[in-house]
Amino acid sequence: MKHLLFCFLSLTTLVLTAQDKKPKVEVSGTMGVTYEGYGLNRNPTGWTGFAQRKPWNQVRFTFQPTITTPKWSLPFNFNFNTTPTNVIGPYANIGKQNIGQYITNPSNNFAFNPKYKWAELQLGTQYLNYSNLSTGDVGVFGAGVDLRPNVWRIKFFTGVSQQGINFFSGGPGGSYKRNNWMAQLGMEKEDKYALLFNFAKGKDDIGSVTTPPPGILPQEGFTMSVVGKANFKGGWYFTTEGAQSIYTKDLTLPVSPTSLSQKPFLEGNTSTIKDFAAEGGIGRKSKNFDIGAKVKYLGAGFQTVGYPFMQPDRIDYTLNTRFNAFKNKTNVTASIGQRVNNVSSTALKAKQFIGNLNWFSQINDHWSVNINYNNFGFQSNSGLNPYGIKNVSNDFGVSPTYTWSNTKMAHLLSLSYNYSKYDERDVITGLTTSNNTHTALLTYVPSYLTKDLTPDFSVMYFLNKLPGFKTTLVTLSTGLALPAMKKKVQLRGQLQYTFSKNNTFTANNNFIASCNVDAKLSKKLTWTNYLSTNYFKYGNEILPNGANYLESNIRTGLMYRFGK
């Protein structure tokens, strides 16, 4: 930790020196340090029905400046904690992390991306999106480059996406260390065309753990894809991507003469599978109207380490549109389509409606309304279970808003109602249960035109029903924000009371109070403070009856802003 603090102070000194001595060097961004304290009192003494949710003490450092000159830029992105809060920390029985474990801990972020003209060096934790079927939502700690000379694209990155965690009883399960690399080669001209070849690989290190996690197999996967894009006159466009993956589900199994392989990238064994995926879209965009169609197919055996939770064995068809009407007072974005699951017929095929709508209309000077609808779901093959996973959610919401004003005040009154229906199938019995939720929220915000006061008031009603269980919840909330000391201090207070009831049990009661105090110590230095208390008293749904707890949080920190 001493070395990290030394580096932090050295970099800060370097930045400030460059800012003072070289007028052509511009520095923007922020840096800061924050302390967080957590307290928990449970009643009766010795009751363990509510667990600690945060470390008792936590210190966070932020260092995010960007040094810019006419020829190059130097962005930093360092966010780190002194106390680990995930499996790399206390859950893995690691008392003191070494420097490698610390900087690769997912609760920390160390990224350094110096740029010079068309060249970028990528160091530390990076979330790199190459394409929809190769890699995009996995954070990797490592090093790489992003080179864009003229229309050419040359990218490469390698590193570790997860650490090896030994299994121990009562822990989260453990994991193998996974090494990744990814690359992209091709050419692209913004808003004109693109032809890109992507490669992504991940491999678990069997020797990274001494106590293998039960139920988790060491795996290896390689994916390659080609992306094509073209934009034409009149707003017409075309996009496509085709991909092939080869994936080994268990590296401990033996190699056989019939094993699938993709040498030199991957040598398969008896658990290796190969499959492909593709997507394509065509449409037209204009100022007030868009229309397009998209198709996506994912084979039953398609897997990519860059999107580990992508649902395979499906085909989606969607029609998408956007339009403005009535002199831009109405804006609509919508899509409609169908998803076909279990295309390989390893289980019964299932068709699912895909729908999305967001409609906003400014009816007149006072009234506006927003309507939204979403349908989405997930279904998998049967696999080891008699019935595959199936869950489908339908959400509908409507939010009218009314505003009015006079010479002294402006008023906003908003009502939002949302209905959600969630159907889930039991993978053992095949029975489907429905979870229905109604939520209504009424909000009133008066704004004083002659005073620096900003109050708000809200009431929320929530009702959730599923077979054999019913939850009712009512929340009352109010807040007030105002400046002080010639607007150098910003104050914000919030009070909230919640009444909740499950089935026929007596009600639970929850009271939350919070306060923000932000003081501007200088033009660039701000002192931020946050205090909150959370008191929750249970009814008779748990033992002992009337059990309660009191949580307290305190957060204080200094934030310095670089630049003018």
Side-chain angles (χ1 to χ4, degrees):
M1 180 56 64
K2 292 181 180 179
H3 298 294
L4 290 171
L5 292 174
F6 175 77
C7 293
F8 182 82
L9 295 173
S10 299
L11 287 170
T12 304
T13 303
L14 173 64
V15 170
L16 295 176
T17 302
Q19 188 178 16
D20 292 338
K21 293 186 177 181
K22 297 182 179 180
K24 292 184 179 181
V25 176
E26 295 184 0
V27 182
S28 60
T30 60
M31 74 172 185
V33 57
T34 303
Y35 166 77
E36 297 177 8
Y38 176 77
L40 176 63
N41 294 311
R42 290 173 289 205
N43 185 38
T45 304
W47 173 59
T48 59
F50 184 82
Q52 171 193 350
R53 295 196 286 188
K54 295 180 180 180
W56 300 117
N57 297 282
Q58 178 70 278
V59 178
R60 303 180 189 273
F61 294 93
T62 300
F63 186 64
Q64 296 177 310
T66 299
I67 308 171
T68 306
T69 73
K71 292 185 178 181
W72 51 264
S73 65
L74 205 61
F76 297 82
N77 185 8
F78 294 166
N79 295 277
F80 54 96
N81 310 323
T82 57
T83 303
T85 57
N86 56 58
V87 295
I88 300 297
Y91 298 110
N93 271 348
I94 299 175
K96 185 177 181 180
Q97 300 179 92
N98 59 40
I99 186 65
Q101 292 168 333
Y102 187 82
I103 63 177
T104 59
N105 189 315
S107 69
N108 299 323
N109 190 333
F110 292 84
F112 179 46
N113 294 53
K115 298 179 182 178
Y116 180 76
K117 294 183 178 180
W118 46 261
E120 177 183 349
L121 181 63
Q122 299 168 330
L123 302 172
T125 303
Q126 308 284 335
Y127 291 82
L128 303 176
N129 189 318
Y130 282 7
S131 72
N132 293 336
L133 298 177
S134 62
T135 186
D137 64 1
V138 172
V140 180
F141 182 88
V145 295
D146 185 343
L147 309 178
R148 305 189 181 198
N150 200 0
V151 299
W152 299 100
R153 299 291 180 264
I154 304 171
K155 302 178 183 180
F156 180 81
F157 195 85
T158 184
V160 177
S161 62
Q162 66 183 30
Q163 287 291 334
I165 307 296
N166 286 319
F167 170 79
F168 71 98
S169 180
S175 64
Y176 292 94
K177 179 180 178 181
R178 176 164 293 185
N179 298 298
N180 296 66
W181 67 260
M182 59 196 77
Q184 183 182 92
L185 300 172
M187 53 194 305
E188 179 180 23
K189 190 171 184 179
E190 296 293 336
D191 299 323
K192 293 293 184 180
Y193 63 83
L195 179 62
L196 305 167
F197 296 88
N198 302 301
F199 308 89
K201 181 179 178 180
K203 184 176 182 179
D204 292 339
D205 182 358
I206 299 177
S208 61
V209 294
T210 56
T211 308
I216 298 177
L217 301 174
Q219 300 179 340
E220 179 182 13
F222 173 74
T223 303
M224 53 185 175
S225 80
V226 57
V227 175
K229 299 179 182 179
N231 293 328
F232 306 97
K233 290 183 178 180
W236 289 95
Y237 67 88
F238 172 77
T239 63
T240 185
E241 181 177 9
Q244 178 182 278
S245 73
I246 181 166
Y247 207 92
T248 299
K249 294 182 174 294
D250 186 356
L251 285 170
T252 63
L253 295 180
V255 176
S256 73
T258 59
S259 297
L260 297 171
S261 294
Q262 193 78 49
K263 296 180 179 180
F265 303 109
L266 185 147
E267 183 177 6
N269 61 26
T270 54
S271 70
T272 303
I273 57 175
K274 180 185 290 187
D275 214 327
F276 72 96
E279 68 173 24
I282 187 171
R284 184 178 183 271
K285 293 184 178 181
S286 63
K287 182 179 180 180
N288 292 313
F289 180 74
D290 296 349
I291 186 71
K294 187 175 182 180
V295 178
K296 174 181 281 189
Y297 168 78
L298 300 172
F302 182 81
Q303 289 182 262
T304 174
V305 294
Y307 293 97
F309 303 108
M310 183 182 292
Q311 178 192 351
D313 201 11
R314 77 174 201 261
I315 185 167
D316 295 351
Y317 310 90
T318 56
L319 180 67
N320 311 292
T321 187
R322 177 197 65 86
F323 64 86
N324 302 325
F326 307 111
K327 297 181 180 180
N328 289 331
K329 290 184 178 181
T330 294
N331 310 106
V332 178
T333 302
S335 64
I336 187 172
Q338 186 178 71
R339 170 172 294 175
V340 181
N341 295 290
N342 304 320
V343 180
S344 62
S345 298
T346 55
L348 292 176
K349 290 186 178 180
K351 295 182 179 180
Q352 177 191 324
F353 171 72
I354 299 175
N356 175 276
L357 171 69
N358 188 280
W359 182 306
F360 173 81
S361 287
Q362 185 70 47
I363 299 173
N364 55 39
D365 291 341
H366 299 290
W367 283 100
S368 65
V369 62
N370 192 87
I371 300 173
N372 63 81
Y373 169 77
N374 291 282
N375 170 281
F376 59 94
F378 175 87
Q379 180 160 326
S380 69
N381 298 338
S382 58
L384 298 176
N385 298 310
Y387 301 92
I389 298 171
K390 178 183 178 181
N391 48 59
V392 178
S393 177
N394 284 273
D395 292 301
F396 171 79
V398 57
S399 301
T401 300
Y402 183 73
T403 60
W404 71 100
S405 62
N406 53 39
T407 57
K408 294 183 178 181
M409 293 185 65
H411 307 265
L412 182 148
L413 184 64
S414 176
L415 173 66
S416 77
Y417 167 76
N418 188 82
Y419 170 71
S420 177
K421 185 175 185 295
Y422 177 75
D423 296 324
E424 183 175 23
R425 182 174 63 197
D426 188 289
V427 297
I428 303 298
T429 65
L431 298 176
T432 299
T433 58
S434 183
N435 189 332
N436 299 310
T437 301
H438 302 265
T439 306
L441 176 64
L442 179 65
T443 302
Y444 170 60
V445 181
S447 299
Y448 292 89
L449 304 179
T450 58
K451 300 178 182 179
D452 292 322
L453 294 176
T454 309
D456 62 78
F457 308 90
S458 66
V459 180
M460 185 184 73
Y461 173 78
F462 174 89
L463 175 64
N464 176 250
K465 289 183 178 181
L466 64 154
F469 201 81
K470 175 183 176 181
T471 298
T472 305
L473 183 148
V474 177
T475 297
L476 306 175
S477 179
T478 182
L480 178 65
L482 70 158
M485 299 179 65
K486 298 181 179 181
K487 297 185 178 182
K488 291 185 178 181
V489 177
Q490 297 294 326
L491 305 175
R492 167 72 180 171
Q494 188 82 25
L495 296 175
Q496 178 178 298
Y497 168 73
T498 299
F499 166 95
S500 60
K501 186 176 176 61
N502 297 318
N503 285 352
T504 59
F505 295 108
T506 57
N508 303 316
N509 292 275
N510 182 215
F511 179 80
I512 299 175
S514 64
C515 177
N516 291 78
V517 182
D518 298 334
K520 200 168 186 178
L521 303 181
S522 68
K523 184 179 179 180
K524 297 182 179 181
L525 184 63
T526 303
W527 180 24
T528 63
N529 299 275
Y530 172 78
L531 300 169
S532 74
T533 182
N534 176 19
Y535 174 75
F536 194 102
K537 183 177 181 180
Y538 291 92
N540 61 357
E541 63 188 79
I542 67 169
L543 293 176
N545 293 337
N548 60 81
Y549 64 84
L550 178 67
E551 279 186 306
S552 58
N553 291 274
I554 179 173
R555 182 172 68 241
T556 182
L558 294 172
M559 184 64 65
Y560 180 82
R561 179 177 58 85
F562 297 102
K564 298 179 181 179

